[in-house]
Amino acid sequence: MTDAVRVLLAEDEESFVDALVVGLGHEGFDVVVARDGVEALQLFERTAPDLVLLDLMLPRMSGIDVCRSIRGRSNVPIIMVTAKGTEIDTVVALEMGADDYVTKPYRLRELVARMRAVLRRIPGEPPSAGPGSRGAGDTHAVSAGGEVRVDFDQRRVFVRDQEVQLRRKEFELLSILVENAGRVLTRDVLIDRVWGADYIGDTKTLDVHIKRLRSRIEVDPSSPVLITTVRGVGYRFETPR
Ligand code: CA
């Protein structure tokens, strides 16, 4: 396939770059990375991307200024990536001509959905993302840290590039946590989503499954950093800071 969608990713946070290069690659996108605003403009000229993913806070030149500059010469779809609490900047970015925005931390699937949506909006030939052997419904998610990758379709899990075998409920539990990375999920929500009506009231079942999951994905299961406990509330799959 020669018509993969080329994405210019302007991002200076290494953890996001790593996760996105892998995750978007799996989705069939061809990713070019710029580490600051000046490089973003240079690579924009050199690579003529189909879409720009633009972090708001970039070294050397802000995402807003990059956006303004690109808009002066191109209608390429631009998605701004903003941090929490920067609503004003988000408004400015949209005024500068960004097509959409996502707020960190975001889920890969949410980002890809927005990317496909803005790509569909451009008139003319819509570039098709994804290798030909894959269907449009394929979904992959990558934890923002890149340590854990969940292939939802094939129900496979890779931890630090090694495949790990999970039982069915463990997989479902991990999937829900990864899909909601960065957010606390209450015990009730997790129990309801994973066990639903099958749950027979043993309050320890969830904790036992969390413990097993940690033993399979954490470097040191006794001091977990991927799945953390939020005391009195529930659990959270951590995104890197
Ligand atoms: Ca940044």
Side-chain angles (χ1 to χ4, degrees):
M1 285 253 137
T2 53
D3 59 347
V5 174
R6 178 170 298 158
V7 177
L8 172 59
L9 169 65
E11 171 66 77
D12 59 313
E13 283 177 66
E14 219 45 52
S15 54
F16 277 90
V17 171
D18 292 346
L20 284 173
V21 167
V22 173
L24 294 177
H26 278 294
E27 293 288 336
F29 294 98
D30 186 0
V31 183
V32 177
V33 181
R35 312 282 174 160
D36 62 56
V38 174
E39 192 184 12
L41 286 180
Q42 289 165 349
L43 285 178
F44 179 77
E45 286 302 323
R46 214 182 302 154
T47 64
D50 301 297
L51 186 148
V52 180
L53 270 182
L54 191 54
D55 187 37
L56 192 73
M57 303 291 283
L58 288 170
R60 295 175 79 195
M61 185 188 248
S62 79
I64 300 275
D65 290 335
V66 174
C67 183
R68 183 189 292 121
S69 175
I70 290 176
R71 266 299 166 265
R73 58 191 120 153
S74 167
N75 285 321
V76 65
I78 299 175
I79 297 179
M80 291 295 300
V81 179
T82 64
K84 265 196 188 124
T86 54
E87 284 86 354
I88 292 169
D89 290 335
T90 304
V91 170
V92 173
L94 294 173
E95 281 173 358
M96 282 307 129
D99 297 273
D100 202 353
Y101 68 94
V102 292
T103 303
K104 286 177 179 175
Y106 48 79
R107 292 183 288 161
L108 181 68
R109 289 207 283 181
E110 180 196 353
L111 175 64
V112 168
R114 283 166 188 268
M115 288 168 67
R116 297 217 159 105
V118 296
L119 285 165
R120 275 196 297 273
R121 264 180 240 151
I122 0 168
E125 6 87 80
S128 64
S133 59
R134 291 231 176 92
D138 268 350
T139 47
H140 296 260
V142 179
S143 77
E147 280 189 62
V148 176
R149 183 160 63 84
V150 179
D151 185 325
F152 293 101
D153 283 349
Q154 296 187 22
R155 299 180 70 88
R156 296 171 76 185
V157 175
F158 300 85
V159 178
R160 294 173 288 277
D161 293 328
Q162 299 287 313
E163 181 161 16
V164 295
Q165 304 297 328
L166 298 181
R167 299 178 196 187
R168 191 164 64 90
K169 293 296 188 196
E170 291 164 8
F171 177 85
E172 287 169 14
L173 186 55
L174 179 64
S175 297
I176 290 165
L177 287 164
V178 167
E179 280 181 297
N180 292 281
R183 293 177 206 176
V184 186
L185 294 178
T186 64
R187 300 176 57 84
D188 285 350
V189 163
L190 288 169
I191 289 168
D192 188 58
R193 297 267 307 269
V194 176
W195 286 274
D198 297 341
Y199 199 70
I200 45 166
D202 178 356
T203 56
K204 287 283 170 230
T205 301
L206 174 62
D207 307 278
V208 168
H209 277 75
I210 291 281
K211 197 174 172 194
R212 279 205 217 121
L213 212 42
R214 283 172 171 162
S215 75
R216 283 165 170 75
I217 72 171
E218 298 280 358
V219 173
D220 177 4
S222 64
S223 50
V225 295
L226 295 171
I227 299 175
T228 55
T229 302
V230 181
R231 206 163 289 282
V233 183
Y235 296 98
R236 174 171 57 215
F237 192 86
E238 294 294 338
T239 54
R241 50 242 34 153

